[in-house]
Amino acid sequence: FMDALSDALSAQEKPKKAKKWAQKAARAYGVRLAQHPHLTTGHALDYFLQRGDPAVALKLAQKNYQQRPAGEAAVQLAQALVRMGRVQNALTRIEAVLATPYSTPELHNTAAHIYTALGQTQKAAEQRRRTLTLSPQATDELIWLKTTPSSP
């Protein structure tokens, strides 16, 4: 609820109020993680991947991956690695998932972001094509996953 309110306030161009609610959401997730880590990790991970501290996102993604070492958890770990600037590590993780039968718009969209960041434009274009084949709206879903070109 608090993070959604923060998003709504951001959309209304009220950055001070949005930041206040984002900070409240981060504190609330911290409390919930301490009280019920197994029940809260997934929700908290989604929050921290998109708008929270990247270091916390990585820690949660690693914990989530230890509990469920495949598919969605591996994609989220790659996303957290990107947020930490560890794009080459993210590439290793995402290519391992791409080599399995697992296939979702989020997987291919994440791969496209990673390949783009590494300047691998043909592979990025192929992953975008796969994303759009599975879900035409999916390319907007990872707008928060900011990557910048870096060397491989």
Side-chain angles (χ1 to χ4, degrees):
F1 149 77
M2 290 180 253
D3 52 338
L5 180 56
S6 174
D7 288 345
L9 290 166
S10 287
Q12 296 172 7
E13 297 184 14
K14 297 178 181 178
K16 288 183 182 178
K17 288 183 178 182
K19 184 176 181 179
K20 174 184 154 189
W21 283 101
Q23 290 170 338
K24 284 184 178 187
R27 285 192 301 272
Y29 277 119
V31 169
R32 288 185 191 123
L33 281 166
Q35 293 172 339
H36 307 287
H38 292 295
L39 298 176
T40 309
T41 299
H43 296 292
L45 175 55
D46 288 340
Y47 171 80
F48 284 100
L49 275 173
Q50 294 182 32
R51 60 183 70 77
D53 181 344
V56 174
L58 180 58
K59 181 179 175 183
L60 290 171
Q62 289 168 329
K63 183 176 184 176
N64 190 42
Y65 184 77
Q66 288 172 349
Q67 295 169 352
R68 307 176 306 129
E72 181 185 20
V75 172
Q76 290 173 319
L77 180 53
Q79 292 168 346
L81 289 164
V82 168
R83 294 249 2 253
M84 289 295 295
R86 294 171 50 189
V87 182
Q88 192 63 46
N89 295 105
L91 176 65
T92 300
R93 182 69 58 196
I94 211 71
E95 285 187 336
V97 182
L98 289 169
T100 71
Y102 185 78
S103 180
T104 65
E106 188 171 15
L107 164 63
H108 297 294
N109 201 359
T110 301
H113 280 276
I114 293 168
Y115 285 130
T116 298
L118 294 171
Q120 297 181 26
T121 56
Q122 288 182 337
K123 288 184 177 183
E126 173 59 21
Q127 292 304 315
R128 276 192 201 85
R129 186 193 65 72
R130 289 182 181 189
T131 301
L132 292 172
T133 298
L134 293 170
S135 174
Q137 298 82 19
T139 57
D140 295 334
E141 292 175 5
L142 295 181
I143 199 82
W144 54 267
L145 186 62
K146 302 206 182 349
T147 59
T148 54
S150 63
S151 58

